[in-house]
């Protein structure tokens, strides 16, 4: 059995506390639980362990208490944003209570839990941020291995050492211990690239679960629609139910005199705790004020940052959109900013802070310039790799689906050019409206009676999804994707206006590899589900006998990773870059699709 540590023992003892405890008593209990003799450094180790526990609050000189004990019945005030609440209560607005109370439930005045939903735009932005970071790391890994493979191909000195076994490698004539005596094969750069890309795709699929978990953890609370958008929110902790009860308070109900009194008590406490030459975290001081000031927070004053910002004795450092170190709160994936405070007349400290913030801002600007230069250098090469691999995968997909050259001719080059409502085929220039319709080809339609309208098809598709027992969210997504596709088809943006039964490979190629990337709020993950939903829709049409061939709807799904990569590449193009037009033309007009 592993030996217990001072840190783990301290945490277990603190979680079992029902009231304040002095540090000396806590040290005694830790030593007794571990069966050790107290040493000179034991108390310092216990203090450090307690300082790491976010649910512990300093409640006096040398005493600590769990937040659930000192915050019982205490409340804090939230001011509405400039544009109103918008029925949303972001998680970060609950700090520092949210972290100190370790994810207490959030309920309305009647005790009903507030639901949590993440707006689709925020979810897409989060996914783009996570995906960009993963792709950046993946590109660095791929570049490293490709550079290594190039060195091996050049027969460099290190490569020679690897073949001789001096660097731990396995040469052409050696046996890998895990191969059962087989000769190790040195991968060519092209084979290595395919292997890495396959591995990165697998990692991307596994990462979807993590993204969904992170998205759920970041979802804000939904406020009831009948609440006043301009009302303050009073958030009070109830220990018995371990919940934060949120109650709206209109401007007419505010007791401004009691608010100002609470603000003065907080500011006086903060000033008493500050020392020259040092700054302190405002959130920690706020929790200490709740623990040490009798009656503080019974009727909450202004938000802490507003109160101290108005006090001429205190300087607020960081927080909001300004500088300040990032820290991870109790909610996975949620980053907050430190809000520190210092004495306003501490000239030496504030000078150092201002200098550090200026240096940090300068360093961020310099790093941004370097990132843009590096991106500009590598973006053209990434686009070329994307186009080459797309051509290979397109040919393989067509062969696997048994699609002949007629389809290739029908869909080739059907993209919009500069000028609304125009389109071209290959390099032949503009074609007429009727020629464009003939060039797009037809899926081979079969009808029983009257041709169904798009509205009828969507209604039958919705009914089919309900009969399949799909969840509300998935069903809504599949229906909305087909409605979006229909909106594109009838608009005639790239090809002549068409209905859902008129769509062909040419229409889908133009949509997914041109219009969807440039003109719709797209994301790599949405590209995967969008192509999947379109494939499922036309499969269903084939089963219903409305189309006789749905292979052209299968093709975009098989190339969904390339649609996502095109979205990433297009997003990475800086509109202010002098080469932006050239890169955009390379991406959209020089490939197979």
């Amino acid at each position: 059995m592993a030996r217990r540590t001072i840190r783990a023992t301290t945490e277990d003892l603190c979680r079992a506390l029902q009231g304040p405890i002095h540090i000396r008593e806590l040290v005694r209990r830790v030593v007794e639980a571990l069966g050790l003799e107290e040493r000179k450094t034991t108390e310092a180790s216990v203090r450090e362990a307690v300082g790491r526990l976010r649910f512990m609050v300093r409640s006096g000189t040398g005493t600590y208490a769990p937040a659930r004990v000192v915050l019982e019945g205490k409340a804090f005030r939230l001011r509405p944003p400039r544009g109103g609440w918008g029925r949303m209560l972001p998680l970060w607005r609950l700090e520092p209570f949210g972290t100190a109370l370790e994810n207490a439930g959030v309920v309305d005045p009647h005790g009903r839990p507030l639901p949590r939903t993440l707006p689709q735009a925020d979810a897409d932005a989060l996914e783009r941020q996570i995906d960009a970071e993963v792709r950046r790391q993946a590109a660095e890994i791929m570049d490293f291995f490709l550079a290594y493979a190039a060195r091996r191909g050049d027969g460099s000195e290190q490569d020679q050492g690897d073949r001789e076994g001096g660097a731990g490698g396995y040469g052409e004539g050696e046996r890998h211990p895990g191969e059962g005596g087989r000769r190790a094969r040195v991968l060519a750069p092209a084979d290595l690239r395919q292997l890495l890309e396959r591995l990165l795709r697998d990692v991307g699929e596994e990462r979807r679960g993590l993204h969904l978990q992170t998205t759920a953890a970041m979802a804000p609370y939904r406020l009831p629609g009948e609440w006043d958008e301009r009302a303050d929110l009073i958030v009070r902790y109830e220990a018995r139910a371990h919940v934060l009860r949120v109650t709206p308070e209109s401007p007419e109900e505010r007791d401004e005199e009691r608010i100002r009194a609470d603000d003065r008590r907080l500011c006086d406490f903060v000033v008493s705790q500050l020392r020259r030459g040092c700054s302190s975290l405002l959130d920690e001081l706020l929790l200490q004020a709740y623990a040490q000031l009798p009656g503080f927070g019974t009727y909450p004053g202004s938000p802490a940052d507003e109160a101290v910002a108005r006090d001429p004795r205190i300087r607020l450092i960081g927080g909001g959109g300004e500088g300040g170190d990032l820290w991870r709160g109790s909610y996975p994936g949620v980053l907050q900013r430190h809000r520190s405070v210092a004495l306003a007349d501490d000239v030496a400290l504030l000078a150092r802070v201002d200098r550090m913030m200026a240096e940090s801002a300068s360093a961020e600007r310099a790093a941004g310039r370097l990132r843009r230069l590096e991106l500009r250098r590598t973006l053209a090469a990434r686009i070329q790799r994307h186009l080459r691999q797309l051509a290979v995968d397109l040919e393989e997909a067509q062969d696997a689906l048994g699609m002949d050259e007629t389809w290739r001719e029908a869909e080739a080059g059907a993209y919009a050019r500069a000028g609304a409502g125009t389109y071209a085929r290959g390099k032949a220039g503009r074609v007429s409206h009727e020629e464009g319709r003939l060039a797009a080809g037809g899926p081979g339609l079969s009808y029983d009676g009257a041709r169904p309208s798009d509205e009828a098809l969507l209604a039958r598709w919705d009914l089919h999804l309900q009969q399949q027992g799909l969840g509300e969210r998935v069903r809504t997504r599949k229906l909305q994707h087909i409605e979006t596709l229909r909106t594109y088809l009838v608009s005639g943006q790239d090809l002549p206006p068409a209905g859902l039964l008129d769509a062909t490979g040419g229409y889908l190629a133009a949509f997914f590899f041109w219009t969807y990337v440039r003109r719709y709020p797209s994301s790599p993950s949405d590209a995967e589900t969008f192509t999947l939903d379109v494939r499922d829709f036309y499969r269903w049409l084939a089963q219903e006998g409305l189309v006789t061939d749905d292979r052209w709807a299968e093709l975009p799904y098989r190339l969904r990773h390339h649609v996502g990569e095109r979205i990433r590449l297009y997003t990475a193009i800086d509109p202010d870059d002098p080469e932006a037009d050239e890169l955009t033309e390379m991406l959209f007009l020089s490939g197979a699709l």
Side-chain angles (χ1 to χ4, degrees):
M1 180 179 293
R3 184 177 180 181
R4 290 182 59 79
T5 63
I6 290 179
R7 180 180 300 179
T9 304
T10 302
E11 180 175 353
D12 292 343
L13 291 172
C14 289
R15 289 191 180 278
L17 290 174
Q18 298 301 321
I21 188 172
H22 195 275
I23 189 65
R24 289 303 309 159
E25 174 62 17
L26 184 58
V27 171
R28 186 190 66 78
R29 294 187 186 184
V30 170
V31 171
E32 181 180 328
L34 292 175
L36 301 175
E37 293 184 2
E38 182 177 351
R39 300 181 179 181
K40 293 181 178 180
T41 59
T42 303
E43 181 175 333
S45 299
V46 174
R47 285 183 181 273
E48 180 185 1
V50 175
R52 292 174 176 269
L53 301 177
R54 292 176 178 164
F55 64 87
M56 292 295 289
V57 180
R58 189 159 64 88
S59 57
T61 304
T63 61
Y64 298 86
R68 55 182 167 77
V69 174
V70 300
L71 297 180
E72 163 63 16
K74 303 297 180 65
F76 62 96
R77 181 182 301 273
L78 297 177
R79 300 288 193 193
R82 181 174 301 177
W85 289 108
R87 297 187 61 191
M88 292 290 181
L89 176 58
L91 271 66
W92 66 268
R93 298 295 302 270
L94 299 178
E95 296 298 336
F97 274 46
T99 295
L101 295 172
E102 298 185 307
N103 293 337
V106 181
V107 299
D108 65 10
H110 305 289
R112 295 174 301 214
L114 293 180
R116 297 176 62 184
T117 55
L118 187 66
Q120 189 60 43
D122 294 343
D124 292 342
L126 172 63
E127 180 158 3
R128 285 194 295 270
Q129 178 182 354
I130 296 176
D131 189 72
E133 179 64 18
V134 171
R135 293 297 301 181
R136 183 189 65 79
Q137 296 175 358
E140 292 178 355
I141 296 173
M142 183 176 292
D143 291 343
F144 171 81
F145 280 106
L146 292 177
Y148 174 73
R151 289 199 303 270
R152 291 183 67 89
D154 293 339
S156 62
E157 181 179 349
Q158 181 171 350
D159 176 54
Q160 181 66 27
D162 289 348
R163 284 195 292 268
E164 293 174 358
Y170 296 93
E172 285 289 342
E174 296 192 22
R175 297 172 184 266
H176 192 289
E179 292 289 336
R182 292 181 296 169
R183 176 177 295 180
R185 181 171 66 92
V186 179
L187 292 176
D191 297 332
L192 181 60
R193 178 181 296 279
Q194 291 183 1
L195 174 62
L196 290 173
E197 290 182 345
R198 186 169 65 251
L199 291 175
L200 294 176
R201 285 198 297 266
D202 294 341
V203 170
E205 293 293 336
E206 295 177 359
R207 188 176 54 81
R208 290 181 63 82
L210 176 61
H211 164 70
L212 293 176
Q213 178 183 357
T214 303
T215 301
M218 291 188 66
Y221 290 96
R222 293 280 294 180
L223 301 176
E226 63 272 15
W227 286 10
D228 186 356
E229 287 288 309
R230 297 291 180 178
D232 288 355
L233 297 183
I234 307 300
V235 185
R236 190 176 305 276
Y237 176 60
E238 298 178 1
R240 178 176 297 181
H242 191 55
V243 296
L244 292 169
R245 189 179 297 272
V246 183
T247 305
E249 183 182 72
S250 65
E252 295 77 17
E253 298 173 319
R254 295 175 193 160
D255 190 335
E256 297 294 347
E257 184 60 34
R258 295 180 66 185
I259 291 176
R260 287 192 292 269
D262 226 43
D263 292 350
R264 286 194 298 269
R265 295 187 68 192
L266 174 62
C267 293
D268 291 342
F269 178 81
V270 169
V271 172
S272 69
Q273 300 298 310
L274 293 175
R275 299 292 180 267
R276 292 192 177 278
C278 301
S279 62
S280 299
L281 294 178
L282 178 58
D283 288 343
E284 291 185 1
L285 293 177
L286 177 61
L287 293 176
Q288 292 174 25
Y290 279 105
Q292 300 179 32
L293 299 179
F296 179 77
T298 303
Y299 182 79
S302 304
D305 51 354
E306 291 185 14
V308 300
R310 290 193 296 262
D311 195 301
R313 300 170 295 174
I314 305 172
R315 165 77 178 272
L316 182 64
I317 305 171
E322 302 176 14
D325 298 328
L326 288 172
W327 63 284
R328 190 172 299 278
S330 60
Y331 308 99
V334 179
L335 295 179
Q336 302 294 336
R337 287 190 178 272
H338 278 309
R339 297 179 298 176
S340 301
V341 287
L343 293 172
D345 59 354
D346 194 346
V347 179
L349 173 63
L350 297 179
R352 291 201 307 269
V353 170
D354 292 340
R355 183 170 62 253
M356 291 173 59
M357 294 179 65
E359 292 175 353
S360 175
S362 177
E364 289 184 1
R365 289 193 296 269
R369 288 194 295 269
L370 290 177
R371 285 194 298 269
R372 288 192 294 272
L373 290 174
E374 179 65 16
L375 181 63
R376 183 184 305 173
R377 184 182 67 83
T378 60
L379 193 55
R382 286 178 57 193
I383 291 176
Q384 292 173 355
R385 288 199 301 267
H386 160 68
L387 296 177
R388 288 195 300 268
Q389 192 60 44
L390 174 60
V392 172
D393 292 347
L394 174 61
E395 185 174 356
E396 291 179 355
Q398 291 178 164
D399 292 342
L401 294 172
M403 304 176 75
D404 56 23
E405 292 299 320
T406 303
W407 185 90
R408 290 180 58 84
E409 293 175 359
E411 56 81 32
Y415 295 107
R417 295 298 191 264
T422 64
Y423 47 90
R425 183 172 58 195
K427 298 183 178 180
R430 295 186 179 183
V431 294
S432 68
H433 188 284
E434 184 61 25
E435 288 173 341
R437 179 175 292 279
L438 294 175
L445 306 180
S446 59
Y447 309 106
D448 290 331
R451 172 190 175 100
S453 64
D454 287 350
E455 292 77 8
L457 288 176
L458 289 172
R460 290 172 59 184
W461 174 238
D462 188 17
L463 179 61
H464 170 73
L465 296 177
Q466 295 180 34
Q467 294 172 347
Q468 295 299 309
L470 298 178
E472 179 67 22
R473 182 175 180 179
V474 175
R475 184 180 65 83
T476 301
R477 185 203 73 201
K478 286 181 171 291
L479 186 63
Q480 289 178 346
H481 277 159
I482 303 305
E483 290 175 344
T484 301
L485 176 63
R486 176 184 177 273
T487 301
Y488 163 76
L489 293 174
V490 301
S491 68
Q493 294 184 39
D494 305 317
L495 289 167
L500 289 171
L501 291 177
D502 299 318
T504 64
Y507 284 93
L508 296 190
F511 176 72
F512 281 114
F513 286 91
W514 170 266
T515 306
Y516 173 67
V517 176
R518 291 174 59 96
R519 300 174 185 171
Y520 283 78
S522 56
S523 68
S525 65
D526 185 68
E528 295 199 7
T529 58
F530 205 146
T531 54
L532 170 66
D533 296 341
V534 169
R535 184 202 67 176
D536 291 348
F537 175 71
Y538 281 98
R539 276 187 179 181
W540 171 73
L541 287 181
Q543 294 171 359
E544 293 289 310
L546 294 174
V547 297
T548 59
D549 189 353
D550 62 340
R551 290 175 297 172
W552 46 272
E554 174 83 20
L555 192 67
Y557 176 71
R558 296 201 175 198
L559 300 176
R560 61 192 182 279
H561 299 299
H562 292 290
V563 179
E565 178 64 9
R566 182 160 294 191
I567 292 172
R568 298 185 191 97
L569 293 171
Y570 180 66
T571 305
I573 297 176
D574 185 0
D576 297 328
D577 190 338
E579 300 178 1
D581 292 341
E582 181 179 347
L583 292 173
T584 303
E585 182 176 352
M586 179 192 304
L587 178 61
F588 290 103
L589 302 182
S590 61
L593 288 175

